[in-house]
């Protein structure tokens, strides 16, 4: 990341499809010296264009954006702007998504339920070229790094690719093939292929079993 003059504030860009979240982050940053919001967006394609124009130092984004694979968006941002730091702020379970986000190019992951001081700590840590995750997540990553390969995956869901996990989550929200295809701008045939891969990886009998498993998982995920 390029060096800034001592008096030049850190430029932040927000990507979240909920206006109230963007407004809350803007108000939070306004109270912190040394930071400023240089732009915001509710969706991925426009965000990429705006980031190219305003050139932020750090992007705060939610990976659960409507119609967008947030993990792929991280890859696109890092590919076009390698110097930009990315901090994920999401409701999605850190234990399942944080490592995926880090592999995609993010430098940190914060759950939206965390206190604001954790977010500010994460911002400063990421800007200091460090990785930020919760202590529980850090311990999990450390355990996995020292475990033999068979023990790397603590949940069957972790066998899914990023796109398969996105489709699985949408199935769990009760969406059918046509709606998922529309949301992700993919063909129904492609969604059926992902569903088949999910069925095989989770060792399920048929599409109905995939749907039932996905709904149970989505409910339990909300309770955690």
């Amino acid at each position: 990341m390029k060096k800034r003059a001592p008096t030049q504030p850190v430029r932040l860009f927000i990507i979240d499809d909920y206006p109230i979240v963007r407004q809350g982050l803007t108000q939070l940053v306004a109270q912190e010296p040394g930071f400023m919001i240089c732009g915001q967006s509710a969706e991925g394609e426009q965000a990429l264009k705006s980031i190219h124009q305003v050139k932020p130092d750090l992007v705060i984004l939610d990976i659960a954006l409507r119609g967008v694979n947030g993990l792929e968006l991280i890859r696109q941002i890092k590919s076009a702007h390698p110097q930009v730091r990315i901090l994920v702020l999401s409701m999605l379970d850190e234990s399942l998504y944080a490592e995926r986000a880090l592999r995609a190019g993010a430098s940190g992951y914060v759950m939206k339920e965390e206190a604001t001081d954790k977010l500010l700590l994460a911002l400063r840590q990421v800007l200091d070229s460090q990785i930020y995750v919760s202590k529980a997540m850090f311990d999990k990553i450390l355990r996995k790094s020292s475990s033999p390969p068979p023990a790397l995956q603590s949940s069957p869901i972790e066998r899914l690719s990023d796109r398969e996990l996105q489709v699985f989550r949408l199935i769990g929200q009760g969406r059918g093939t046509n709606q998922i295809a529309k949301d992700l701008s993919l063909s129904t045939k492609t969604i059926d292929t992902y569903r088949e891969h999910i069925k095989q990886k989770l060792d399920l009998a048929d599409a109905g079993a995939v749907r039932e498993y996905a709904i149970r998982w989505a409910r339990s995920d909300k309770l955690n």
Side-chain angles (χ1 to χ4, degrees):
M1 186 171 63
K2 63 182 180 180
K3 292 185 179 298
R4 298 178 302 278
T7 57
Q8 187 176 355
V10 175
R11 296 166 58 81
L12 307 180
F13 191 96
I14 302 169
I15 309 174
D16 195 293
D17 49 13
Y18 286 96
I20 192 170
V21 174
R22 300 197 303 272
Q23 181 181 2
L25 286 172
T26 300
Q27 292 175 347
L28 174 65
V29 169
Q31 299 172 17
E32 292 297 312
F35 294 107
M36 66 167 286
I37 301 297
C38 65
Q40 56 178 272
S41 178
E43 56 91 27
E45 185 175 350
Q46 182 57 51
L48 287 171
K49 294 178 181 177
S50 298
I51 288 170
H52 179 72
Q53 293 171 349
V54 302
K55 296 178 172 53
D57 299 302
L58 185 145
V59 172
I60 303 174
L61 66 79
D62 189 348
I63 55 175
L65 299 168
R66 286 188 290 267
V68 177
N69 184 331
L71 297 172
E72 181 58 30
L73 179 57
I74 292 173
R75 295 187 185 96
Q76 292 174 357
I77 293 172
K78 291 299 290 186
S79 176
H81 307 280
Q83 78 284 1
V84 174
R85 309 291 182 189
I86 299 176
L87 176 64
V88 174
L89 180 64
S90 183
M91 287 294 294
L92 296 183
D93 186 1
E94 179 192 43
S95 66
L96 187 58
Y97 287 91
E99 285 183 88
R100 294 171 186 265
L102 296 179
R103 288 197 298 266
S107 295
Y109 197 105
V110 181
M111 295 286 290
K112 284 184 176 178
E113 63 193 34
E114 292 284 1
T116 56
D117 60 339
K118 291 287 184 67
L119 174 60
L120 294 172
L121 173 62
L123 280 173
R124 293 188 172 91
Q125 197 158 310
V126 167
L127 285 165
D128 197 30
S129 301
Q130 300 180 54
I131 298 296
Y132 182 91
V133 292
S134 70
K135 185 180 184 305
M137 192 65 226
F138 177 80
D139 290 343
K140 178 184 178 183
I141 294 173
L142 196 61
R143 288 195 304 270
K144 289 179 68 173
S145 68
S146 60
S147 300
L152 290 180
Q153 294 168 336
S154 59
S155 164
I157 304 300
E158 294 186 39
R159 301 171 190 159
L160 304 180
S161 70
D162 292 343
R163 180 65 90 175
E164 289 163 358
L165 180 59
Q166 185 181 30
V167 171
F168 185 71
R169 185 169 64 86
L170 293 173
I171 293 172
Q173 293 174 357
R175 304 190 194 187
T177 299
N178 290 337
Q179 184 61 52
I180 295 173
K182 181 179 178 181
D183 290 345
L184 302 183
S185 299
L186 298 171
S187 70
T188 56
K189 183 177 180 180
T190 298
I191 300 303
D192 286 337
T193 298
Y194 282 126
R195 192 189 300 266
E196 180 64 22
H197 291 167
I198 293 167
K199 185 189 77 172
Q200 293 174 2
K201 288 184 178 182
L202 301 184
D203 195 22
L204 298 170
D206 51 34
V210 171
R211 182 175 181 275
E212 183 179 344
Y213 192 150
I215 291 173
R216 287 202 314 270
W217 174 77
R219 288 174 179 168
S220 65
D221 190 50
K222 288 179 180 178
L223 295 174
N224 291 334

